[in-house]
Amino acid sequence: AQSVTQPDIHITVSEGASLELRCNYSYGATPYLFWYVQSPGQGLQLLLKYFSGDTLVQGIKGFEAEFKRSQSSFNLRKPSVHWSDAAEYFCAVLNNAGNMLTFGGGTRLMVKP
Amino acid sequence: DAGVTQSPTHLIKTRGQQVTLRCSPKSGHDTVSWYQQALGQGPQFIFQYYEEEERQRGNFPDRFSGHQFPNYSSELNVNALLLGDSALYLCASSRGQPPYGYTFGSGTRLTVV
């Protein structure tokens, strides 16, 4: 069965500092991977996705993620965090049939001024 | 172009009651998926509907049922509500089978008392 682990429940960074959110997945085949962001009381917004090809993918809002098959990881990065980036971030893997997303438990990002 | 619309945004029900949540997919989308997000957790897949049929189901009891209408909109029904059913219910729409891109609504916050 597929699974996603986000080891960090909470992360606090200073505004302007770099950010890396960790994601590890368990999946038997080539994974389709996603990062979503959720602001309080809101739905999920897609930041970026990886299906195949270049292992470094660019997303919206200056985010990027790197797929590392050998480490079963898909970590999210941003070189300079803005206060508006404070939110909950979810990593997810899609099954081969493309009809079920499995999410990690999420990482709550807080940004210090 | 309207995105995914869910109604109601909030509701409170009593244990043992039944509830119906509604979702209108994004224009051009024909597939609807439902997710349950308990407080402090990642979303969990309930089921997906395509061509008015349930195509995939997650690990949820039969108390959870759904329907898709010819206009692609969908309903999620939950019978015999339990306190543990309190959660944010998210609807996601997509196009085609298999669907590889999902747009999420803002959710319905269900509180069972």
Side-chain angles (χ1 to χ4, degrees):
Chain A
Q2 60 200 57
S3 65
V4 176
T5 301
Q6 293 179 245
D8 305 304
I9 298 175
H10 294 96
I11 283 185
T12 301
V13 299
S14 297
E15 190 167 18
S18 63
L19 170 70
E20 182 169 25
L21 302 182
R22 296 184 292 164
C23 172
N24 294 101
Y25 67 89
S26 173
Y27 192 65
T30 301
Y32 298 140
L33 296 161
F34 302 78
W35 275 100
Y36 285 89
V37 61
Q38 186 178 38
S39 298
Q42 299 297 311
L44 301 173
Q45 181 183 22
L46 179 66
L47 288 175
L48 48 79
K49 60 187 176 185
Y50 171 78
F51 282 176
S52 64
D54 193 348
T55 56
L56 184 64
V57 294
Q58 303 297 320
I60 63 171
K61 304 184 179 185
F63 285 93
E64 66 177 26
E66 186 171 11
F67 170 62
K68 293 185 177 180
R69 185 186 298 275
S70 62
Q71 298 178 20
S72 298
S73 69
F74 188 56
N75 293 349
L76 182 71
R77 301 194 294 247
K78 187 170 185 178
S80 178
V81 170
H82 188 261
W83 64 267
S84 61
D85 292 324
E88 186 104 25
Y89 291 80
F90 293 95
C91 180
V93 63
L94 185 66
N95 65 340
N96 267 353
N99 52 18
M100 182 175 74
L101 283 166
T102 298
F103 287 85
T107 297
R108 178 163 297 278
L109 173 66
M110 291 176 282
V111 181
K112 294 189 300 184
Chain B
D1 178 26
V4 178
T5 304
Q6 293 188 242
S7 63
T9 54
H10 298 82
L11 76 164
I12 300 174
K13 289 288 188 177
T14 302
R15 194 170 40 180
Q17 285 187 318
Q18 178 264 344
V19 68
T20 297
L21 311 182
R22 295 176 176 82
C23 173
S24 294
K26 182 179 178 179
S27 178
H29 285 186
D30 57 9
T31 301
V32 173
S33 304
W34 288 92
Y35 289 80
Q36 180 195 66
Q37 186 179 18
L39 199 61
Q41 297 183 23
Q44 286 196 307
F45 176 77
I46 303 175
F47 42 53
Q48 182 183 86
Y49 277 84
Y50 173 68
E51 292 187 334
E52 303 179 47
E53 290 187 5
E54 184 183 287
R55 296 288 174 158
Q56 180 83 23
R57 187 178 184 92
N59 189 25
F60 279 81
D62 291 344
R63 296 187 299 109
F64 290 77
S65 63
H67 188 77
Q68 186 179 34
F69 299 94
N71 67 352
Y72 309 120
S73 66
S74 177
E75 290 182 347
L76 164 65
N77 300 291
V78 186
N79 294 322
L81 284 167
L82 304 174
L83 296 179
D85 295 332
S86 296
L88 179 68
Y89 288 85
L90 295 165
C91 173
S93 73
S94 51
R95 185 176 67 179
Q97 287 287 318
Y100 290 111
Y102 290 88
T103 301
F104 281 83
S106 296
T108 294
R109 173 71 63 186
L110 171 65
T111 302
V112 182
V113 297

